Every structure is written in structure tokens, then in C-alpha cells.
Amino acid sequence: MHPPTSFRFILHFMKLLNNSERRKLLPKAITDSMHDASRYLSELAVCVSSLSIECKPSTIAIASLLNAMECANPDYLNWEVRDSFLQEVSKVTNICTESDELLSARAALKSMCPAMPTAEHNDVRECMESGSSSPVCVSGSTSTHTNRKRNFAST
């Protein structure tokens, strides 16, 4: 028997996010992008011993989701929606969203992907709203450097 992974917790938490009231307020492209970004961040957590050994998978999942929420357009994922979701997650899991463990997990995840965009970037908002691509940065370039070409053939 295997314990639940952080990805499994993300799936369950996303169901809470997509409850009937919030589903009306959130476009599918936003929730899909949040799911992709949080899944990516939870996969990165496996590479860091302090996260993969010392943190519970549920804590990593919540930290990944909270960091992914920072990418979402605040017009859709406003504080009311975010707060009601966090209250519901806290009620279900008994995890305080301001706990030291969760805050350090969030900081560690942010340090592993510092180029992950935030909602302040308008082009990220447009990208997430249109559903054209994931907000996850794996190339190391930020959205403000999209015009820069990389030549990998010369390496």
C-alpha cells in the first residue's frame, strides 16, 4: 500500500476549488493552468530533500496550489474566491495556511522556479485566460523575455 502523493492531494483540492459556487466564477482555462502549475511545482518538490522528506504531501500540495494561484488573474481568482477555498481546505485538512511548515514549503518551491510568472504580468493573464499555454516556466526565461531567441544548436 502506498501513501497518497502530493499530486493526489492536488486533485482532491482542485475538486474543492471547483465546487458549484466557485465553478461559476472561474474559467476552465484558469483552473487548468493552476492544476498544471501546481502539479509541476509538486514534482519539483521531489528534488529537494527538505520538502520530500520533511513535509507532508498535503502540505506540498497546498503550497504548490497557493503558488500557482499567484499566477491567476485576480479578476477571476479574487480574494473572496481564494479565501473561501483556503477556509475550506483548512477545515478539511486542519492545516493552517499561515503555518511555518507551509510558508517554508512555499518559499522553497518559489526558489526552485523563480521565473514563474505572477498575476502582475498582463501577458500571463492573457495567456491563462485564453488557455493557450501553461504558466509554468521550465526554460528559465520570464514572460518579459519572450522575444529573446536561444540558439541551442551552437552548444
Side-chain angles (χ1 to χ4, degrees), residues 21-95:
E21 291 175 21
R22 287 185 284 266
R23 180 177 291 159
K24 296 173 191 172
L25 301 172
L26 294 172
K28 185 171 177 3
I30 297 288
T31 57
D32 287 350
S33 294
M34 284 178 42
H35 176 263
D36 290 344
S38 58
R39 183 183 68 199
Y40 176 73
L41 290 171
S42 71
E43 290 171 0
L44 284 179
V46 174
C47 302
V48 178
S49 62
S50 65
L51 290 174
S52 61
I53 295 171
E54 298 171 13
C55 286
K56 297 174 190 171
S58 57
T59 301
I60 293 171
I62 294 172
S64 299
L65 269 170
L66 290 175
N67 287 359
M69 284 180 167
E70 290 182 358
C71 297
N73 184 333
D75 294 338
Y76 294 111
L77 190 64
N78 59 37
W79 284 108
E80 181 181 323
V81 172
R82 187 178 302 206
D83 191 48
S84 70
F85 169 69
L86 291 177
Q87 286 178 5
E88 197 167 348
V89 167
S90 185
K91 184 173 123 181
V92 170
T93 63
N94 291 325
I95 295 175

Side-chain angles (χ1 to χ4, degrees), residues 91-117:
K91 184 173 123 181
V92 170
T93 63
N94 291 325
I95 295 175
C96 176
T97 57
E98 297 299 320
S99 71
D100 290 338
E101 181 182 24
L102 183 59
L103 294 175
S104 65
R106 287 191 69 194
L109 290 171
K110 281 182 184 179
S111 71
M112 292 186 327
C113 192
M116 190 166 175

